[in-house]
Amino acid sequence: MFRHTKHLQFEAKPEKPDALYAMKLQELIGGAFGEMTVTMQYLFQGWNCRMEGKYKDLIMDVATEEIGHVEMLATMVARLLEGAPDDVTAEAVKDPAVAAVVGGMNPQHAIVGGGGPVLADSAGTPWNGKYIVASGNLMADFRANVAAEAQGRLQTARLYHMTDDPGVKAMLKFNLARDTYHQNLWLAAIQQLQEDGVEGPVVPSDLFDEENQEHAGTLWHLSDGTESDQGVWASGPAPDGRHTFEFLADPAALGGPASGPAPKPTQYVTSHADASGKPKQPPQAKGPGERIKDAFQ
């Protein structure tokens, strides 16, 4: 079960309202890498975890913390929207400079949220459950978590430089620190999975004998760039300890032309042949007499 405590994990008090910045801050709530995404991602990873113990407990700890981050940001957005839009705002926008700022606000804050936050990103696009990754494989999921936290911290850092409000900056400093910890946490958890022998570097740790070994370690040089062979990924042992890297400077195509099968005549696809492979015969128009004859038949 979940129990809500009526205190924010960290304070969320802006020095003054700023409707335009409230719209920008929506990205950290409902964006693809926002707090709603990591909240639901970690919750479903925890619920999907089939192994009781430290890994599931860890996931649920962080998932529950992320719910609090959504609450912090939602509270901050509501406080940034204080007094906007209302009669005071309508009067204020008579000043061209103020109108330019207020004009950039998200109208859904007023129309949908009643002066509060909405579950959407900074462009007003609704949050989507397809953003989350919860596969049941901890190695795959933890790697997705590192990426999500990295993108979230990147966006938080950019937003940090978009405001001079001390109250907003104080909260974002806290968020930056938690994103730092969470990146390190998931990186450490990835290492722990390997040390515990639960998962290997390659997901899933299976079908190595069935895969085509000839192509399990080769970098195909397929661009005009000239330095892709200058990294550790181009030669030597692979991180999984089972494969060896190799650089193919001039790889050859292994398949034939990328042509689909002949279409059915009723699909009206432009082609030179019908479904049987024979030259396509266009439908012939029939005269009135033939159409009457066909109808009686």
Side-chain angles (χ1 to χ4, degrees):
M1 67 180 184
F2 291 89
R3 178 175 293 165
H4 179 254
T5 300
K6 293 184 178 181
H7 295 279
L8 297 174
Q9 185 181 8
F10 191 85
E11 194 56 84
K13 285 186 177 180
E15 188 175 89
K16 59 183 181 300
D18 186 339
L20 178 57
Y21 192 79
M23 179 179 69
K24 297 176 182 178
L25 204 59
Q26 281 284 157
E27 193 66 34
L28 298 187
I29 296 178
F33 301 104
E35 300 290 357
M36 186 62 184
T37 292
V38 289
T39 294
M40 299 310 297
Q41 181 156 306
Y42 301 162
L43 283 175
F44 274 89
Q45 287 178 7
W47 294 330
N48 285 349
C49 184
R50 304 300 200 274
M51 187 169 55
E52 294 293 335
K54 62 185 178 185
Y55 291 110
K56 184 164 186 172
D57 292 349
L58 167 67
I59 297 168
M60 293 306 298
D61 274 348
V62 183
T64 307
E65 177 185 358
E66 298 294 4
I67 300 175
H69 291 182
V70 176
E71 183 179 39
M72 286 165 51
L73 286 161
T75 302
M76 179 65 82
V77 167
R79 290 171 175 173
L80 285 167
L81 290 170
E82 182 181 0
D86 57 11
D87 294 340
V88 175
T89 303
E91 185 67 25
V93 295
K94 294 180 179 179
D95 180 281
V98 176
V101 175
V102 176
M105 70 179 293
N106 183 351
Q108 286 201 339
H109 281 155
I111 301 168
V112 178
V118 293
L119 189 50
D121 63 15
S122 55
T125 305
W127 182 82
N128 193 321
K130 285 292 186 182
Y131 295 154
I132 77 164
V133 176
S135 69
N137 182 287
L138 295 184
M139 180 63 80
D141 286 351
F142 288 179
R143 285 179 173 155
N145 296 351
V146 174
E149 294 286 352
Q151 292 290 343
R153 192 177 194 280
L154 176 62
Q155 292 178 357
T156 301
R158 288 170 173 166
L159 280 161
Y160 180 82
H161 293 293
M162 294 181 186
T163 181
D164 294 322
D165 190 300
V168 175
K169 279 185 172 289
M171 186 194 72
L172 293 181
K173 288 178 181 179
F174 176 82
N175 290 1
L176 288 168
R178 297 311 294 166
D179 288 346
T180 295
Y181 172 67
H182 289 157
Q183 285 187 57
N184 280 319
L185 177 155
W186 297 122
L187 289 169
I190 288 170
Q191 182 178 344
Q192 186 77 68
L193 284 173
Q194 295 177 243
E195 292 177 357
D196 289 348
V198 178
E199 290 289 349
V202 175
V203 178
S205 301
D206 191 23
L207 301 178
F208 293 121
D209 293 334
E210 286 79 4
E211 72 184 14
N212 189 327
Q213 291 291 320
E214 181 183 353
H215 304 291
T218 51
L219 170 60
W220 288 35
H221 180 48
L222 296 171
S223 71
D224 290 338
T226 60
E227 298 183 15
S228 62
D229 62 341
Q230 301 302 304
V232 296
W233 52 80
S235 62
D240 64 4
R242 301 177 60 103
H243 299 83
T244 301
F245 288 135
E246 181 183 356
F247 181 73
L248 297 182
D250 188 21
L254 304 178
S259 300
K264 296 178 181 179
T266 53
Q267 291 177 330
Y268 303 105
V269 176
T270 303
S271 70
H272 292 295
D274 59 22
S276 68
K278 299 177 181 179
K280 184 174 67 173
Q281 299 297 322
Q284 300 296 318
K286 294 183 179 182
E290 290 180 287
R291 290 200 297 271
I292 294 173
K293 181 178 178 182
D294 289 344
F296 278 107
Q297 290 178 341

